[in-house]
Amino acid sequence: AQSVTQLGSHVSVSEGALVLLRCNYSSSVPPYLFWYVQYPNQGLQLLLKYTSAATLVKGINGFEAEFKKSETSFHLTKPSAHMSDAAEYFCAVAESNFGNEKLTFGTGTRLTIIP
Amino acid sequence: GAVVSQHPSRVICKSGTSVKIECRSLDFQATTMFWYRQFPKKSLMLMATSNEGSKATYEQGVEKDKFLINHASLTLSTLTVTSAHPEDSSFYICSARDSPWDTQYFGPGTRLTVL
């Protein structure tokens, strides 16, 4: 069974500061890993995904994440926070079983940007 | 990018009535669609997976007679909440993908309020 743990339900950073959102996963097979962003009353938008290629994945809006198998982690980072980054962020894992890739989501991290 | 729409975005209904929510893939053929439920300040919970032309596969604990899913075409899936009760009030989000190795694209969600 697969699972995702997001450490910190709320993270606050100052505008221009580093953003670090933590995600650890558990999977019985090589995982596919995703970060999604959700703005209030909206659906989810894909930020980036890892599918067993490069371990450092670059996404939209300046975000990137690094897959570390030894640490079973897939933390999301952005060098300089912008006010528009304030949102809910979800990490998700899918076990790469062909034709049966259900996403399991973490509980989310609410990112607040301090002006 | 791939676009998924949902209709309606918000619906309020009386207890005991049925509500239908539509999920459409606008610029790709969605062989598989997923229905999620999101409680306030909680993560997404997968309710069911539907493949075009087949019966939906429901997750454990989800009542298939309560949440009817139809995926009759490659661009449309519907979720009908039958005999809705206040505890069914939630944010329902669909996602769609073209192939098993493709990313899931999420709709904007439908907020259901049952009075």
Side-chain angles (χ1 to χ4, degrees):
Chain A
Q2 56 197 29
S3 66
V4 172
T5 301
Q6 290 184 241
L7 296 176
S9 58
H10 290 84
V11 171
S12 296
V13 301
S14 297
E15 188 176 14
L18 171 71
V19 175
L20 171 61
L21 304 182
R22 300 179 186 275
C23 172
N24 288 87
Y25 70 91
S26 173
S27 176
S28 58
V29 299
Y32 289 179
L33 293 160
F34 307 80
W35 275 100
Y36 286 89
V37 60
Q38 184 181 35
Y39 297 99
N41 295 313
Q42 294 186 26
L44 277 68
Q45 180 181 4
L46 179 68
L47 278 177
L48 49 81
K49 63 180 178 181
Y50 166 77
T51 57
S52 74
T55 57
L56 181 63
V57 182
K58 294 186 183 297
I60 62 172
N61 301 339
F63 285 94
E64 63 181 36
E66 185 173 9
F67 171 70
K68 292 187 177 180
K69 184 178 179 180
S70 61
E71 299 177 6
T72 61
S73 69
F74 190 58
H75 302 330
L76 181 71
T77 61
K78 182 174 180 177
S80 177
H82 191 272
M83 294 301 294
S84 61
D85 295 327
E88 188 89 22
Y89 291 80
F90 292 95
C91 182
V93 62
E95 292 187 343
S96 54
N97 294 322
F98 184 85
N100 189 29
E101 291 179 8
K102 295 190 298 186
L103 289 175
T104 298
F105 286 87
T107 51
T109 297
R110 181 168 298 278
L111 176 64
T112 299
I113 309 299
I114 304 167
Chain B
V3 179
V4 176
S5 70
Q6 280 184 243
H7 179 78
S9 58
R10 291 176 176 269
V11 57
I12 301 173
C13 69
K14 293 182 178 180
S15 184
T17 61
S18 294
V19 175
K20 180 182 286 188
I21 302 170
E22 292 185 348
C23 177
R24 293 182 184 274
S25 58
L26 299 185
D27 50 4
F28 67 102
Q29 293 184 327
T31 54
T32 305
M33 287 185 168
F34 302 84
W35 286 95
Y36 296 84
R37 183 172 178 177
Q38 185 178 32
F39 294 95
K41 300 183 180 180
K42 295 288 185 182
S43 185
L44 280 75
M45 180 191 77
L46 179 65
M47 298 174 66
T49 303
S50 74
N51 292 297
E52 186 266 338
S54 303
K55 288 185 177 180
T57 301
Y58 290 81
E59 294 300 301
Q60 191 172 10
V62 178
E63 300 175 58
K64 59 182 178 181
D65 294 330
K66 172 92 175 155
F67 298 99
L68 301 178
I69 292 173
N70 182 279
H71 190 173
S73 79
L74 284 172
T75 59
L76 173 65
S77 176
T78 60
L79 168 67
T80 301
V81 183
T82 63
S83 187
H85 288 90
E87 57 265 31
D88 299 324
S89 298
S90 194
F91 196 52
Y92 292 89
I93 303 175
C94 73
S95 71
R97 70 177 186 205
D98 181 11
S99 58
W101 53 85
D102 194 15
T103 301
Q104 289 186 33
Y105 296 96
F106 285 79
T110 296
R111 183 161 302 284
L112 170 63
T113 303
V114 185
L115 302 176

